[in-house]
């Protein structure tokens, strides 16, 4: 008797009920990764970027696509860079403590090494007026510092005006062929930003310094006037009997007793 053979049933696939970790998360991870990249890209796009053109990296200060006929050494931004690193203009752009100490050392050195010897040995009888000689030497030091600060102010003001101006005056080969170039919008915005945030604070510092130096010079002049006035007054008081034009009865009787002979009060 023949027996019918039935094929054995196929084993159930356990992956349908218990999928592996890799197969189970594979459809989910790409979506998470995609959403993370999208959120990160949206976050980066919300931060404004400052463009850095290749021309600035290569050492040129002219934006790309701009034909600037101004020579490199006459461009305002190059003039600013040169001024900010030159002596003594770089003092004003440095630290405030270093700036003040350099001015003080300059004035004190000039007053001690030059002003004091000239005031002390260049006058007659300096031993009688030592305070006056010291004031003269201090005034010379303050005056030298004032001249240096004025020179720095003029240099920074010149560069600041060229940065803030919409046009640039330049010379191609000499003074006889002066030209004027109108800045582009990008160059004008860059120069005015630099002039407003880098040059104007320096000019304000120099103006404040000039006010202090002017007040110091005024005080020194007042002291010298008071010293000279006190000396003249003491000389007049001590020599009032012999100064021409000054007359009174007591001095006349003392120097000309014969003229008052027989009058009362004659010793």
């Amino acid at each position: 008797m023949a027996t019918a053979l039935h094929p054995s049933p196929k084993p159930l696939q356990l992956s349908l009920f218990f999928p592996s970790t890799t197969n189970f998360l594979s459809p989910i991870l790409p979506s998470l990764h995609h959403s993370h990249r999208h959120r990160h890209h949206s976050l980066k796009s919300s931060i404004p970027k400052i463009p850095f053109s290749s021309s600035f990296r290569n050492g040129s200060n002219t934006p790309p696509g701009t034909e600037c006929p101004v020579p490199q050494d006459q461009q305002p931004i190059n003039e600013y860079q040169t001024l900010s690193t030159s002596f003594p203009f770089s003092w004003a752009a440095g630290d405030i403590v270093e700036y003040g100490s350099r001015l003080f050392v300059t004035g004190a050195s000039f007053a001690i090494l030059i002003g004091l010897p000239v005031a002390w040995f260049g006058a007659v009888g300096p031993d009688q007026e030592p305070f006056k000689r010291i004031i003269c030497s201090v005034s010379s030091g303050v005056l030298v510092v004032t001249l240096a600060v004025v020179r720095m102010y003029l240099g920074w003001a010149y560069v600041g005006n060229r940065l803030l101006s919409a046009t640039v005056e330049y010379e191609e080969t000499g003074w006889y062929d002066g030209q004027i170039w109108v800045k582009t919008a990008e160059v004008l915005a860059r120069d005015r930003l630099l002039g407003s945030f880098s040059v104007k604070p320096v000019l304000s510092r120099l103006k404040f310094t000039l006010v202090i130096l002017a007040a110091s010079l005024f005080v020194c002049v007042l002291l010298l006037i008071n010293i000279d006035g006190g000396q003249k007054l003491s000389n007049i008081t001590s020599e009032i009997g012999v100064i021409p034009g000054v007359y009174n009865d007591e001095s006349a009787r003392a120097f000309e007793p014969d003229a008052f002979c027989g009058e009362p009060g004659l010793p």
Side-chain angles (χ1 to χ4, degrees):
M1 180 176 180
T3 58
L5 299 176
H6 299 281
S8 61
K10 297 181 178 180
L12 295 177
Q13 298 181 358
L14 297 179
S15 61
L16 297 177
F17 299 97
F18 302 99
S20 61
T21 305
T22 306
N23 297 331
F24 181 75
L25 295 179
S26 59
I28 301 177
L29 290 178
S31 60
L32 292 177
H33 183 66
H34 179 72
S35 62
H36 175 72
R37 290 180 59 186
H38 179 70
R39 184 170 62 254
H40 182 66
H41 178 71
S42 62
L43 180 61
K44 290 179 64 178
S45 62
S46 63
I47 301 176
K49 296 182 179 180
I50 301 176
F52 293 95
S53 59
S54 60
S55 61
F56 286 93
R57 298 190 186 98
N58 296 332
S60 175
N61 290 323
T62 304
T66 303
E67 296 181 359
C68 179
V70 183
Q72 289 289 332
D73 58 341
Q74 298 183 34
Q75 293 182 11
I77 188 171
N78 291 332
E79 292 175 341
Y80 165 78
Q81 294 175 356
T82 303
L83 191 73
S84 60
T85 56
S86 60
F87 172 85
F89 301 96
S90 60
W91 295 1
D95 184 66
I96 183 64
V97 178
E98 185 177 2
Y99 165 72
S101 61
R102 286 179 175 178
L103 293 181
F104 177 78
V105 170
T106 301
S109 301
F110 187 88
I112 294 174
L113 300 178
I114 299 177
L116 186 60
V118 171
W120 195 270
F121 300 104
V124 179
D127 297 336
Q128 300 177 359
E129 302 173 350
F131 186 69
K132 181 179 179 180
R133 310 308 170 191
I134 295 175
I135 294 297
C136 289
S137 63
V138 172
S139 302
S140 65
V142 175
L143 182 60
V144 168
V145 175
T146 303
L147 295 177
V149 175
V150 169
R151 181 66 185 92
M152 286 189 285
Y153 179 83
L154 294 177
W156 281 102
Y158 172 77
V159 173
N161 291 334
R162 287 177 65 84
L163 286 172
L164 298 176
S165 176
T167 59
V168 178
E169 298 180 359
Y170 67 97
E171 299 173 355
E172 293 182 352
T173 57
W175 60 269
Y176 47 83
D177 57 352
Q179 303 292 334
I180 296 178
W181 177 64
V182 180
K183 298 179 182 178
T184 61
E186 185 177 0
V187 174
L188 181 61
R190 180 200 64 189
D191 289 355
R192 287 188 173 177
L193 186 66
L194 183 63
S196 299
F197 290 94
S198 298
V199 179
K200 284 187 176 181
V202 175
L203 292 177
S204 300
R205 177 184 294 181
L206 292 173
K207 288 180 181 179
F208 183 73
T209 306
L210 287 175
V211 171
I212 295 178
L213 293 173
S216 301
L217 283 176
F218 182 73
V219 171
C220 292
V221 170
L222 287 181
L223 291 175
L224 290 175
I225 291 175
N226 291 333
I227 293 174
D228 291 338
Q231 291 177 352
K232 291 181 180 179
L233 182 61
S234 62
N235 294 334
I236 291 174
T237 305
S238 60
E239 300 177 0
I240 192 171
V242 297
I243 294 179
V246 178
Y247 175 83
N248 54 44
D249 293 340
E250 294 181 359
S251 61
R253 287 192 181 96
F255 288 97
E256 297 180 346
D258 297 338
F260 295 88
C261 184
E263 294 185 4
L266 185 65

